[in-house]
């Protein structure tokens, strides 16, 4: 006896229709599409879990920023690990105090990741095409942040 919707089925012989059952979702394709965003989430979660358990405020656990060590100048990433540790332990004030740009980046990453997951679920690619002016703007913000956090009046931005 033939299956009602499989190869050689009555439906196929009568209509010429071959494929999935009517209304059946492409589960394998969806799992494949969700694999990358979920893998990225797993990697980021693992990294944050590690930083949450191994406190960067205790010396000897992480390397020192080479720019800070050689020049005494804070780079835009200085304080990022302390920021991540404070963020993961729920102290948003300390996270912003350690590195405001990094903390804003955590929220931006979360928003883009949710958008990516929703689009992957719907079978649409994530396309974020920023004009060169936006990239120059991001670079300018990072440059201004770096300069200001190294000046006496910007010490609130220093880690």
């Amino acid at each position: 006896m033939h299956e009602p919707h499989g190869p050689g089925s009555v439906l196929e012989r009568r209509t010429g229709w071959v494929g999935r059952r009517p209304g059946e979702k492409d589960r394998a394709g969806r799992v494949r599409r969700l694999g990358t965003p979920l893998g990225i989430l797993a990697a980021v979660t693992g990294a944050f879990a590690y930083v949450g358990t191994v406190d960067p405020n205790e010396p000897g656990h992480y390397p020192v920023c080479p720019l800070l060590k050689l020049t005494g100048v804070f780079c835009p990433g200085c304080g990022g690990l302390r920021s991540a540790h404070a963020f993961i332990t729920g102290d948003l004030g300390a996270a912003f105090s350690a590195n405001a740009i990094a903390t804003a980046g955590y929220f931006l990453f979360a928003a883009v990741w949710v958008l990516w997951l929703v689009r992957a679920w719907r079978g649409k690619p994530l396309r974020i095409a920023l004009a060169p002016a936006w990239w120059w703007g991001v670079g300018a913000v990072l440059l201004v942040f770096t300069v200001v956090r190294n000046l006496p009046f910007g010490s609130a931005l220093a880690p």
Side-chain angles (χ1 to χ4, degrees), residues 86-147:
F87 186 83
I88 199 70
T89 56
D91 190 353
L92 289 180
F96 273 106
S97 177
N99 190 320
I101 292 283
T103 306
Y106 307 148
F107 290 107
L108 179 63
F109 171 80
V112 170
W113 183 84
V114 168
L115 175 68
W116 186 15
L117 187 68
V118 167
R119 292 189 62 85
W121 179 266
R122 294 179 178 168
K124 298 178 182 177
L126 177 66
R127 296 192 197 280
I128 300 176
L130 297 177
W134 282 97
W135 290 112
W136 282 103
V138 168
V141 167
L142 288 174
L143 179 64
V144 168
F145 175 71
T146 303
V147 169

Side-chain angles (χ1 to χ4, degrees), residues 54-90:
V54 180
D55 190 354
N57 294 305
E58 296 176 15
H61 292 293
Y62 299 97
V64 177
C65 172
L67 183 66
L68 180 61
K69 186 174 183 174
L70 294 173
T71 66
V73 174
F74 296 118
C75 76
C78 279
L81 286 173
R82 289 187 295 278
S83 173
H85 178 76
F87 186 83
I88 199 70
T89 56

